[in-house]
Coordinates of all heavy atoms in Angstrom, one line a residue:
M1 N 120.6 -12.9 -30.9 CA 119.4 -12.6 -30.2 C 119.7 -11.3 -29.3 O 120.7 -11.2 -28.6 CB 119.0 -13.7 -29.3 CG 117.7 -13.5 -28.6 SD 117.2 -15.1 -27.9 CE 115.9 -14.6 -26.8
T2 N 118.8 -10.4 -29.4 CA 119.0 -9.1 -28.6 C 118.3 -9.2 -27.3 O 117.3 -9.9 -27.1 CB 118.4 -7.9 -29.4 OG1 117.0 -8.1 -29.6 CG2 119.1 -7.7 -30.7
A3 N 118.9 -8.5 -26.3 CA 118.4 -8.5 -25.0 C 117.1 -7.6 -25.0 O 117.1 -6.6 -25.7 CB 119.4 -8.0 -24.0
P4 N 116.1 -8.0 -24.2 CA 115.0 -7.1 -24.1 C 115.4 -5.7 -23.5 O 116.2 -5.6 -22.7 CB 114.0 -7.8 -23.2 CG 114.8 -8.8 -22.4 CD 116.1 -9.1 -23.3
K5 N 114.7 -4.7 -24.0 CA 115.0 -3.3 -23.5 C 114.4 -3.2 -22.1 O 113.4 -3.7 -21.8 CB 114.4 -2.3 -24.5 CG 115.0 -2.3 -25.8 CD 114.5 -1.2 -26.7 CE 115.1 -1.2 -28.1 NZ 114.6 -0.2 -28.9
A6 N 115.2 -2.4 -21.3 CA 114.7 -2.1 -20.0 C 113.5 -1.3 -20.1 O 113.3 -0.4 -20.9 CB 115.8 -1.4 -19.2
P7 N 112.5 -1.5 -19.1 CA 111.3 -0.7 -19.2 C 111.6 0.8 -18.8 O 112.6 1.0 -18.1 CB 110.4 -1.4 -18.1 CG 111.3 -2.1 -17.3 CD 112.5 -2.5 -18.1
L8 N 110.8 1.7 -19.2 CA 110.9 3.1 -18.9 C 110.2 3.3 -17.5 O 109.2 2.7 -17.2 CB 110.2 3.9 -19.9 CG 110.7 3.9 -21.3 CD1 109.8 4.7 -22.3 CD2 112.1 4.4 -21.4
S9 N 110.9 4.1 -16.7 CA 110.3 4.5 -15.4 C 109.4 5.6 -15.5 O 109.3 6.3 -16.6 CB 111.5 4.8 -14.4 OG 112.0 6.1 -14.9
A10 N 108.7 5.9 -14.5 CA 107.8 7.1 -14.4 C 108.6 8.4 -14.7 O 108.1 9.3 -15.4 CB 107.0 7.2 -13.1
K11 N 109.8 8.4 -14.2 CA 110.7 9.6 -14.4 C 111.0 9.7 -15.9 O 110.9 10.8 -16.5 CB 111.9 9.5 -13.6 CG 112.9 10.7 -13.8 CD 114.1 10.5 -12.9 CE 115.1 11.7 -13.2 NZ 116.3 11.5 -12.4
D12 N 111.3 8.6 -16.6 CA 111.6 8.6 -18.0 C 110.4 9.1 -18.8 O 110.6 9.9 -19.7 CB 112.0 7.2 -18.5 CG 113.3 6.6 -17.8 OD1 114.1 7.4 -17.4 OD2 113.3 5.4 -17.7
V13 N 109.3 8.6 -18.5 CA 108.1 8.9 -19.2 C 107.7 10.4 -18.9 O 107.3 11.1 -19.8 CB 106.9 8.0 -18.8 CG1 105.6 8.5 -19.5 CG2 107.2 6.6 -19.3
A14 N 107.9 10.9 -17.7 CA 107.6 12.3 -17.4 C 108.4 13.2 -18.2 O 107.9 14.2 -18.7 CB 107.8 12.5 -15.9
E15 N 109.7 12.8 -18.4 CA 110.6 13.7 -19.2 C 110.1 13.7 -20.7 O 110.1 14.8 -21.3 CB 112.0 13.1 -19.2 CG 112.7 13.3 -17.9 CD 114.1 12.7 -17.8 OE1 114.5 12.1 -18.8 OE2 114.7 12.8 -16.7
R16 N 109.6 12.6 -21.2 CA 109.1 12.5 -22.5 C 107.8 13.3 -22.7 O 107.4 13.7 -23.8 CB 108.9 11.1 -23.0 CG 110.3 10.4 -23.1 CD 110.1 8.9 -23.5 NE 111.4 8.3 -23.6 CZ 111.7 7.2 -24.3 NH1 110.8 6.7 -25.1 NH2 112.9 6.7 -24.3
L17 N 107.0 13.4 -21.6 CA 105.7 14.1 -21.7 C 105.9 15.6 -21.2 O 104.9 16.3 -21.1 CB 104.7 13.4 -20.8 CG 104.4 12.0 -21.1 CD1 103.3 11.5 -20.2 CD2 103.9 11.9 -22.6
D18 N 107.1 16.0 -21.0 CA 107.4 17.3 -20.6 C 106.7 17.8 -19.3 O 106.0 18.8 -19.2 CB 107.1 18.3 -21.7 CG 107.8 19.7 -21.5 OD1 108.9 19.7 -20.9 OD2 107.3 20.7 -22.0
T19 N 106.8 16.9 -18.3 CA 106.2 17.2 -17.0 C 107.1 16.6 -15.9 O 108.2 16.1 -16.2 CB 104.7 16.6 -16.9 OG1 104.1 17.1 -15.7 CG2 104.8 15.0 -16.8
D20 N 106.7 16.8 -14.7 CA 107.5 16.3 -13.6 C 106.9 14.9 -13.2 O 105.8 14.6 -13.4 CB 107.5 17.3 -12.4 CG 106.1 17.5 -11.9 OD1 105.4 18.3 -12.5 OD2 105.8 16.9 -10.9
P21 N 107.8 14.1 -12.5 CA 107.3 12.8 -12.1 C 106.1 12.8 -11.2 O 105.2 11.9 -11.2 CB 108.5 12.2 -11.4 CG 109.7 12.8 -12.1 CD 109.2 14.3 -12.3
K22 N 106.0 13.8 -10.3 CA 104.9 13.9 -9.3 C 103.6 14.0 -10.1 O 102.6 13.4 -9.8 CB 105.1 15.0 -8.3 CG 104.0 15.1 -7.3 CD 104.3 16.2 -6.3 CE 103.2 16.4 -5.4 NZ 103.4 17.5 -4.4
T23 N 103.6 15.0 -11.0 CA 102.3 15.2 -11.8 C 102.0 14.0 -12.6 O 100.8 13.6 -12.7 CB 102.5 16.4 -12.7 OG1 102.8 17.6 -11.9 CG2 101.2 16.7 -13.5
L24 N 103.0 13.3 -13.1 CA 102.7 12.1 -13.9 C 102.1 11.0 -13.0 O 101.1 10.4 -13.4 CB 104.0 11.6 -14.6 CG 103.8 10.3 -15.4 CD1 102.8 10.5 -16.5 CD2 105.1 9.7 -15.8
R25 N 102.6 10.9 -11.8 CA 102.1 9.9 -10.9 C 100.6 10.2 -10.5 O 99.8 9.3 -10.4 CB 102.9 9.7 -9.6 CG 104.3 9.0 -9.9 CD 105.0 8.6 -8.7 NE 105.3 9.8 -7.9 CZ 106.4 10.5 -8.0 NH1 107.3 10.3 -8.9 NH2 106.6 11.6 -7.1
V26 N 100.3 11.5 -10.3 CA 98.9 11.9 -10.0 C 98.0 11.4 -11.2 O 97.0 10.9 -11.0 CB 98.8 13.4 -9.8 CG1 97.3 13.8 -9.7 CG2 99.5 13.8 -8.5
F27 N 98.5 11.7 -12.4 CA 97.8 11.3 -13.6 C 97.6 9.8 -13.7 O 96.5 9.3 -13.9 CB 98.5 11.8 -14.9 CG 98.2 11.0 -16.1 CD1 97.0 11.2 -16.8 CD2 99.1 10.1 -16.6 CE1 96.7 10.5 -18.0 CE2 98.7 9.4 -17.8 CZ 97.5 9.6 -18.5
L28 N 98.6 9.0 -13.4 CA 98.6 7.6 -13.5 C 97.6 7.0 -12.4 O 96.8 6.1 -12.8 CB 100.0 7.0 -13.2 CG 101.0 7.3 -14.3 CD1 102.4 6.9 -13.9 CD2 100.6 6.7 -15.6
R29 N 97.6 7.6 -11.2 CA 96.6 7.1 -10.2 C 95.2 7.5 -10.6 O 94.3 6.7 -10.4 CB 97.0 7.7 -8.9 CG 98.2 7.1 -8.2 CD 98.4 7.5 -6.8 NE 98.6 8.9 -6.6 CZ 99.7 9.5 -6.6 NH1 100.8 8.8 -6.8 NH2 99.8 10.8 -6.5
A30 N 95.0 8.7 -11.1 CA 93.7 9.2 -11.5 C 93.1 8.4 -12.6 O 91.9 8.3 -12.8 CB 93.7 10.7 -11.9
N31 N 93.9 7.8 -13.4 CA 93.5 7.0 -14.6 C 93.7 5.5 -14.3 O 93.5 4.7 -15.3 CB 94.2 7.4 -15.8 CG 93.8 8.8 -16.3 OD1 92.8 8.9 -17.0 ND2 94.5 9.8 -15.9
A32 N 93.9 5.1 -13.1 CA 94.0 3.7 -12.7 C 95.0 2.9 -13.5 O 94.7 1.8 -13.9 CB 92.6 3.1 -12.7
I33 N 96.1 3.5 -13.9 CA 97.2 2.8 -14.6 C 97.9 2.0 -13.5 O 98.4 2.5 -12.5 CB 98.2 3.8 -15.3 CG1 97.4 4.9 -16.1 CG2 99.2 3.1 -16.0 CD1 96.8 4.3 -17.4
P34 N 98.0 0.7 -13.7 CA 98.6 -0.2 -12.7 C 100.1 -0.1 -12.7 O 100.7 0.1 -13.7 CB 98.1 -1.6 -13.1 CG 97.9 -1.5 -14.6 CD 97.4 -0.1 -14.9
K35 N 100.6 -0.4 -11.5 CA 102.0 -0.6 -11.4 C 102.4 -2.0 -11.7 O 101.5 -2.9 -11.8 CB 102.4 -0.3 -9.9 CG 102.3 1.1 -9.4 CD 102.7 1.3 -8.0 CE 102.5 2.7 -7.6 NZ 103.0 2.9 -6.2
S36 N 103.7 -2.2 -12.0 CA 104.2 -3.5 -12.3 C 103.9 -4.4 -11.1 O 104.3 -4.0 -9.9 CB 105.6 -3.5 -12.6 OG 106.2 -4.8 -12.6
E37 N 103.4 -5.6 -11.3 CA 103.2 -6.6 -10.2 C 104.5 -7.0 -9.6 O 104.7 -7.3 -8.4 CB 102.3 -7.7 -10.6 CG 100.9 -7.3 -10.9 CD 100.0 -8.5 -11.3 OE1 100.5 -9.7 -11.1 OE2 99.0 -8.3 -11.8
E38 N 105.5 -7.1 -10.5 CA 106.8 -7.6 -10.1 C 107.6 -6.6 -9.3 O 108.2 -7.0 -8.2 CB 107.7 -8.0 -11.3 CG 107.1 -9.2 -12.1 CD 107.8 -9.5 -13.4 OE1 108.9 -8.9 -13.6 OE2 107.4 -10.3 -14.1
S39 N 107.7 -5.4 -9.7 CA 108.5 -4.4 -9.1 C 107.7 -3.5 -8.1 O 108.3 -2.8 -7.3 CB 109.3 -3.6 -10.1 OG 108.3 -2.7 -10.8
G40 N 106.4 -3.4 -8.3 CA 105.6 -2.4 -7.5 C 105.8 -1.0 -8.0 O 105.4 -0.1 -7.3
R41 N 106.5 -0.8 -9.1 CA 106.7 0.5 -9.7 C 106.0 0.7 -11.0 O 105.6 -0.3 -11.6 CB 108.2 0.8 -9.9 CG 109.0 0.8 -8.6 CD 110.5 0.9 -8.9 NE 111.3 1.0 -7.7 CZ 111.7 2.1 -7.1 NH1 111.4 3.3 -7.7 NH2 112.4 2.1 -6.0
Y42 N 105.8 1.9 -11.5 CA 105.3 2.2 -12.8 C 106.4 1.8 -13.8 O 107.5 2.3 -13.7 CB 104.9 3.6 -13.0 CG 103.6 3.9 -12.2 CD1 103.7 4.8 -11.1 CD2 102.4 3.4 -12.5 CE1 102.6 5.1 -10.3 CE2 101.2 3.7 -11.8 CZ 101.3 4.6 -10.7 OH 100.2 4.9 -10.0
E43 N 106.1 1.0 -14.8 CA 107.0 0.6 -15.8 C 106.3 0.7 -17.1 O 105.2 0.2 -17.2 CB 107.6 -0.8 -15.6 CG 108.5 -0.9 -14.3 CD 109.0 -2.3 -14.1 OE1 108.6 -3.2 -14.8 OE2 109.8 -2.4 -13.2
F44 N 107.0 1.2 -18.2 CA 106.4 1.3 -19.5 C 107.3 0.9 -20.6 O 108.5 0.9 -20.4 CB 106.0 2.8 -19.7 CG 105.1 3.4 -18.6 CD1 105.7 4.0 -17.5 CD2 103.8 3.2 -18.6 CE1 104.9 4.6 -16.5 CE2 103.0 3.7 -17.6 CZ 103.6 4.4 -16.5
K45 N 106.7 0.6 -21.7 CA 107.5 0.3 -22.9 C 107.5 1.6 -23.7 O 106.6 2.4 -23.6 CB 106.8 -0.8 -23.7 CG 106.7 -2.1 -23.0 CD 105.9 -3.1 -23.9 CE 105.6 -4.3 -23.1 NZ 104.6 -5.2 -23.7
A46 N 108.5 1.8 -24.5 CA 108.6 3.0 -25.3 C 107.4 3.1 -26.2 O 106.9 4.2 -26.4 CB 109.9 2.9 -26.2
A47 N 106.8 2.0 -26.6 CA 105.6 2.1 -27.5 C 104.4 2.6 -26.7 O 103.4 3.0 -27.3 CB 105.3 0.7 -28.0
D48 N 104.4 2.6 -25.4 CA 103.3 3.1 -24.5 C 103.2 4.6 -24.5 O 102.2 5.2 -24.2 CB 103.4 2.6 -23.1 CG 103.3 1.1 -23.0 OD1 102.7 0.5 -23.8 OD2 103.9 0.6 -22.0
V49 N 104.3 5.3 -24.8 CA 104.5 6.7 -24.6 C 103.5 7.5 -25.4 O 102.9 8.5 -24.9 CB 105.9 7.2 -24.8 CG1 106.0 8.7 -24.7 CG2 106.8 6.5 -23.8
A50 N 103.3 7.2 -26.7 CA 102.4 8.0 -27.5 C 101.0 8.0 -27.0 O 100.3 9.0 -26.9 CB 102.5 7.5 -29.0
K51 N 100.5 6.8 -26.6 CA 99.1 6.7 -26.1 C 99.0 7.4 -24.7 O 98.0 8.1 -24.5 CB 98.8 5.2 -25.9 CG 97.4 5.0 -25.3 CD 97.1 3.5 -25.2 CE 95.7 3.3 -24.5 NZ 95.4 1.9 -24.3
L52 N 100.0 7.3 -23.9 CA 100.0 8.0 -22.6 C 100.0 9.5 -22.8 O 99.3 10.2 -22.1 CB 101.2 7.6 -21.8 CG 101.1 6.3 -21.0 CD1 102.5 5.9 -20.4 CD2 100.1 6.3 -20.0
K53 N 100.7 10.0 -23.8 CA 100.8 11.4 -24.1 C 99.4 11.9 -24.5 O 99.0 13.0 -23.9 CB 101.8 11.7 -25.2 CG 101.9 13.2 -25.4 CD 103.1 13.5 -26.3 CE 103.3 15.1 -26.3 NZ 104.7 15.5 -26.4
K54 N 98.7 11.2 -25.3 CA 97.3 11.7 -25.7 C 96.4 11.7 -24.4 O 95.7 12.7 -24.2 CB 96.7 10.7 -26.7 CG 97.2 10.9 -28.1 CD 96.5 10.0 -29.0 CE 97.0 10.1 -30.5 NZ 96.3 9.2 -31.4
Q55 N 96.5 10.7 -23.6 CA 95.7 10.6 -22.4 C 96.1 11.7 -21.4 O 95.3 12.4 -20.8 CB 95.8 9.3 -21.7 CG 95.2 8.1 -22.5 CD 95.5 6.8 -21.8 OE1 96.5 6.6 -21.2 NE2 94.6 5.9 -22.0
F56 N 97.4 12.0 -21.3 CA 97.9 13.0 -20.4 C 97.5 14.4 -20.8 O 97.1 15.2 -20.0 CB 99.4 12.9 -20.3 CG 100.1 13.8 -19.3 CD1 100.0 13.6 -18.0 CD2 100.7 15.0 -19.8 CE1 100.5 14.5 -17.1 CE2 101.3 15.9 -18.9 CZ 101.2 15.6 -17.5
V57 N 97.6 14.7 -22.1 CA 97.2 16.0 -22.6 C 95.7 16.2 -22.3 O 95.3 17.3 -21.8 CB 97.5 16.2 -24.1 CG1 96.9 17.4 -24.7 CG2 99.0 16.2 -24.3
A58 N 94.9 15.2 -22.6 CA 93.4 15.4 -22.4 C 93.2 15.6 -20.9 O 92.3 16.4 -20.5 CB 92.7 14.2 -22.9
W59 N 93.9 14.8 -20.0 CA 93.7 14.9 -18.6 C 94.1 16.3 -18.1 O 93.4 16.9 -17.2 CB 94.5 13.8 -17.9 CG 94.5 13.8 -16.4 CD1 93.5 13.4 -15.6 CD2 95.5 14.3 -15.6 NE1 93.8 13.6 -14.3 CE2 95.1 14.2 -14.2 CE3 96.8 14.9 -15.8 CZ2 95.9 14.5 -13.2 CZ3 97.5 15.2 -14.7 CH2 97.1 15.1 -13.4
T60 N 95.2 16.8 -18.5 CA 95.7 18.1 -18.1 C 94.7 19.2 -18.5 O 94.5 20.1 -17.7 CB 97.1 18.4 -18.5 OG1 97.2 18.3 -20.0 CG2 98.1 17.5 -17.9
E61 N 94.1 19.1 -19.7 CA 93.1 20.0 -20.1 C 91.9 20.0 -19.2 O 91.4 21.0 -18.8 CB 92.7 19.8 -21.6 CG 93.9 20.2 -22.5 CD 93.6 19.8 -24.0 OE1 92.6 19.1 -24.3 OE2 94.4 20.1 -24.8
R62 N 91.4 18.8 -19.0 CA 90.2 18.6 -18.1 C 90.5 19.1 -16.7 O 89.7 19.8 -16.1 CB 89.8 17.2 -18.0 CG 89.1 16.6 -19.3 CD 88.5 15.3 -19.0 NE 89.4 14.3 -18.4 CZ 90.2 13.5 -19.0 NH1 90.2 13.5 -20.3 NH2 90.9 12.6 -18.4
R63 N 91.7 18.9 -16.2 CA 92.1 19.3 -14.9 C 92.2 20.8 -14.8 O 91.7 21.4 -13.8 CB 93.5 18.7 -14.6 CG 93.9 18.9 -13.2 CD 95.3 18.1 -13.0 NE 95.7 18.1 -11.6 CZ 96.9 18.1 -11.2 NH1 97.9 18.0 -12.1 NH2 97.2 18.1 -9.9
A64 N 92.7 21.5 -15.8 CA 92.8 22.9 -15.9 C 91.4 23.5 -15.9 O 91.1 24.5 -15.2 CB 93.6 23.4 -17.1
E65 N 90.5 22.9 -16.7 CA 89.1 23.4 -16.8 C 88.4 23.3 -15.4 O 87.7 24.2 -15.0 CB 88.4 22.7 -17.9 CG 88.8 23.0 -19.3 CD 88.2 22.1 -20.3 OE1 87.4 21.2 -20.0 OE2 88.5 22.3 -21.5
A66 N 88.6 22.2 -14.8 CA 88.0 22.0 -13.5 C 88.5 22.9 -12.4 O 87.7 23.5 -11.6 CB 88.2 20.5 -13.0
R67 N 89.8 23.2 -12.5 CA 90.4 24.1 -11.5 C 89.9 25.5 -11.8 O 89.6 26.3 -10.8 CB 91.9 24.1 -11.6 CG 92.5 22.8 -11.0 CD 94.0 22.8 -11.0 NE 94.5 21.8 -10.2 CZ 95.8 21.6 -10.0 NH1 96.7 22.4 -10.5 NH2 96.2 20.6 -9.2
A68 N 89.8 25.9 -13.0 CA 89.3 27.2 -13.4 C 87.8 27.4 -12.9 O 87.4 28.4 -12.4 CB 89.4 27.5 -14.9
A69 N 87.0 26.3 -13.1 CA 85.6 26.4 -12.7 C 85.5 26.5 -11.2 O 84.7 27.2 -10.7 CB 84.9 25.2 -13.2
A70 N 86.3 25.8 -10.5 CA 86.3 25.8 -9.0 C 86.8 27.2 -8.5 O 86.2 27.7 -7.6 CB 87.3 24.7 -8.4
K71 N 87.7 27.8 -9.2 CA 88.2 29.1 -8.8 C 87.1 30.1 -9.0 O 86.8 31.0 -8.2 CB 89.4 29.5 -9.6 CG 90.0 30.8 -9.3 CD 91.3 31.1 -10.1 CE 91.9 32.4 -9.7 NZ 93.1 32.7 -10.4
E72 N 86.4 30.0 -10.2 CA 85.2 30.9 -10.4 C 84.1 30.7 -9.4 O 83.5 31.7 -8.9 CB 84.7 30.7 -11.8 CG 85.6 31.2 -12.9 CD 85.0 30.9 -14.3 OE1 83.8 30.7 -14.4 OE2 85.8 30.9 -15.3
A73 N 83.9 29.5 -9.0 CA 82.8 29.2 -8.0 C 83.2 29.8 -6.7 O 82.4 30.4 -6.0 CB 82.6 27.7 -7.9
R74 N 84.5 29.7 -6.3 CA 84.9 30.3 -5.0 C 84.8 31.8 -5.1 O 84.4 32.4 -4.1 CB 86.4 29.9 -4.7 CG 86.5 28.5 -4.2 CD 87.9 28.2 -3.7 NE 89.0 28.5 -4.7 CZ 89.4 27.6 -5.6 NH1 88.9 26.4 -5.6 NH2 90.4 28.0 -6.4
A75 N 85.2 32.4 -6.2 CA 85.1 33.8 -6.3 C 83.6 34.3 -6.3 O 83.3 35.3 -5.6 CB 85.7 34.3 -7.6
A76 N 82.7 33.6 -6.9 CA 81.3 33.9 -6.9 C 80.7 33.8 -5.5 O 79.9 34.6 -5.1 CB 80.6 33.0 -7.9
A77 N 81.2 32.8 -4.8 CA 80.7 32.6 -3.4 C 81.2 33.7 -2.5 O 80.5 34.0 -1.5 CB 81.1 31.2 -2.9
Q78 N 82.3 34.3 -2.8 CA 82.8 35.3 -1.9 C 82.2 36.7 -2.2 O 82.2 37.6 -1.4 CB 84.3 35.4 -2.0 CG 85.0 34.2 -1.4 CD 86.5 34.3 -1.7 OE1 87.0 35.1 -2.4 NE2 87.2 33.4 -1.0
Q79 N 81.6 36.9 -3.4 CA 81.0 38.1 -3.8 C 79.6 38.2 -3.3 O 78.9 37.2 -3.5 CB 81.1 38.3 -5.3 CG 82.4 38.3 -5.9 CD 83.1 39.6 -5.6 OE1 82.5 40.7 -5.5 NE2 84.4 39.5 -5.4
P80 N 79.2 39.3 -2.7 CA 77.8 39.4 -2.4 C 76.9 39.4 -3.6 O 77.4 40.1 -4.6 CB 77.7 40.7 -1.6 CG 78.9 41.4 -1.9 CD 79.9 40.4 -2.3
S81 N 75.8 38.8 -3.6 CA 75.0 38.8 -4.8 C 74.4 40.2 -5.0 O 74.2 41.0 -4.1 CB 73.9 37.8 -4.8 OG 72.9 38.2 -3.8
D82 N 74.1 40.5 -6.3 CA 73.5 41.9 -6.6 C 72.2 42.0 -5.9 O 71.9 43.1 -5.4 CB 73.3 42.0 -8.1 CG 74.7 42.1 -8.8 OD1 75.7 42.5 -8.2 OD2 74.7 41.9 -10.0
A83 N 71.4 41.0 -5.8 CA 70.1 41.1 -5.2 C 70.2 41.4 -3.7 O 69.5 42.2 -3.1 CB 69.3 39.8 -5.4
L84 N 71.1 40.7 -3.0 CA 71.4 41.0 -1.6 C 71.9 42.4 -1.4 O 71.5 43.1 -0.5 CB 72.4 40.0 -1.1 CG 72.7 40.1 0.4 CD1 71.5 39.9 1.3 CD2 73.8 39.1 0.8
H85 N 72.8 42.8 -2.3 CA 73.3 44.2 -2.2 C 72.2 45.2 -2.4 O 72.2 46.2 -1.6 CB 74.4 44.4 -3.2 CG 75.1 45.7 -3.1 ND1 75.9 46.0 -2.0 CD2 75.1 46.8 -3.9 CE1 76.4 47.2 -2.2 NE2 75.9 47.7 -3.4
E86 N 71.3 45.0 -3.3 CA 70.2 46.0 -3.5 C 69.3 46.0 -2.3 O 68.8 47.1 -2.0 CB 69.4 45.6 -4.8 CG 70.2 45.8 -6.1 CD 69.4 45.3 -7.3 OE1 68.2 45.0 -7.2 OE2 70.1 45.2 -8.4
E87 N 69.0 44.9 -1.7 CA 68.1 44.9 -0.5 C 68.7 45.7 0.6 O 68.0 46.4 1.3 CB 67.9 43.4 0.0 CG 67.0 42.6 -0.9 CD 66.9 41.2 -0.5 OE1 67.2 40.9 0.7 OE2 66.5 40.3 -1.2
Q88 N 70.0 45.6 0.8 CA 70.7 46.3 1.8 C 70.7 47.8 1.6 O 70.7 48.6 2.5 CB 72.1 45.8 2.0 CG 72.2 44.4 2.6 CD 73.6 43.8 2.6 OE1 74.5 44.4 2.1 NE2 73.7 42.6 3.2
T89 N 70.8 48.2 0.3 CA 70.9 49.7 0.0 C 69.5 50.3 -0.1 O 69.4 51.5 -0.1 CB 71.7 49.9 -1.3 OG1 71.0 49.2 -2.4 CG2 73.1 49.4 -1.2
D90 N 68.4 49.5 -0.2 CA 67.1 50.1 -0.2 C 66.6 50.6 1.1 O 65.6 51.3 1.2 CB 66.1 49.0 -0.8 CG 66.3 48.8 -2.3 OD1 66.9 49.6 -2.9 OD2 65.8 47.8 -2.8
D91 N 67.2 50.2 2.2 CA 66.7 50.6 3.5 C 66.8 52.1 3.7 O 67.3 53.0 3.4 CB 67.5 49.9 4.6 CG 67.3 48.4 4.6 OD1 66.2 48.0 4.1 OD2 68.1 47.7 5.2

């Protein structure tokens, strides 16, 4: 009989997803992935990694799009509108 394999930690999974543990934990919290009730830590089976990778890639894409949109909105808010600029130059 073989001994059960030790679960993978968030650090182990982060390495497999080519990211850092902090970013992985942000992803896990954002997606309501629960921690182990026994240890209070994130623990995974090797079989979980492929599914997590798909979810993580989709999440990072959505996150990048949201950040780009927020950056554009901030830039637009800082630029005077053309209509306002025309009103000021018509005087």
Side-chain angles (χ1 to χ4, degrees):
M1 186 169 166
T2 60
K5 293 183 180 181
L8 300 173
S9 68
K11 181 180 178 183
D12 298 330
V13 173
E15 289 174 4
R16 291 178 183 207
L17 300 183
D18 196 29
T19 191
D20 60 280
K22 181 179 177 182
T23 301
L24 179 65
R25 288 190 303 272
V26 171
F27 159 76
L28 295 171
R29 286 190 299 271
N31 289 278
I33 307 292
K35 293 181 179 181
S36 166
E37 291 182 16
E38 294 174 9
S39 69
R41 296 177 176 263
Y42 291 109
E43 295 179 353
F44 306 94
K45 298 176 188 167
D48 297 334
V49 175
K51 181 180 176 184
L52 281 171
K53 184 166 188 150
K54 283 183 180 180
Q55 292 174 329
F56 182 75
V57 168
W59 176 79
T60 55
E61 289 172 356
R62 288 190 310 270
R63 188 176 187 210
E65 290 169 1
R67 286 181 170 188
K71 185 177 180 179
E72 287 178 22
R74 283 191 305 273
Q78 291 176 350
Q79 296 291 326
S81 70
D82 290 339
L84 179 60
H85 183 67
E86 287 176 13
E87 287 177 18
Q88 292 174 350
T89 59
D90 287 341
D91 291 338

